[in-house]
Amino acid sequence: MIQETHTITSPCKGIIEKVLITEDSYVYEWEKLFFIKTSEGNMEEISVGASGTITSLCIKEGDFVSTESILALLKDDLLITGSD
């Protein structure tokens, strides 16, 4: 089976409030992965439109990230799945 690696990046600036995954976690499409508290005080939920295994976790709770900071790497299994 062919696999593809996705880089999960931050869509905003802020502080990593919560990390819901670990390295080697299997994640489903649109599953919540991170919460980022923006400089405006909003809470952003971070998810990705692919399923697979987290191969690298690049941040931890309390880290400051800017737009396009790399949060994690995901090895896509190319299966169509879903999460509520």
Side-chain angles (χ1 to χ4, degrees):
M1 177 178 286
I2 298 171
Q3 294 185 326
E4 181 179 319
T5 299
H6 293 280
T7 301
I8 303 168
T9 59
S10 175
C12 58
K13 284 195 299 190
I15 303 290
I16 301 294
E17 194 75 15
K18 189 76 177 156
V19 178
L20 302 172
I21 56 172
T22 61
E23 208 165 285
D24 297 324
S25 290
Y26 183 85
V27 298
Y28 294 94
E29 291 177 23
W30 308 118
E31 180 179 347
K32 294 173 189 146
L33 308 176
F34 308 97
F35 286 97
I36 298 174
K37 188 170 188 177
T38 67
S39 50
E40 294 83 25
N42 300 322
M43 194 67 70
E44 293 288 329
E45 295 178 356
I46 310 305
S47 59
V48 65
S51 62
T53 303
I54 300 297
T55 58
S56 182
L57 192 57
C58 304
I59 50 82
K60 63 185 181 310
E61 290 178 12
D63 284 355
F64 176 82
V65 294
S66 55
T67 305
E68 299 303 316
S69 290
I70 297 174
L71 305 176
L73 300 177
L74 170 79
K75 185 183 274 187
D76 193 333
D77 60 13
L78 301 176
L79 297 175
I80 298 176
T81 60
S83 175
D84 290 332

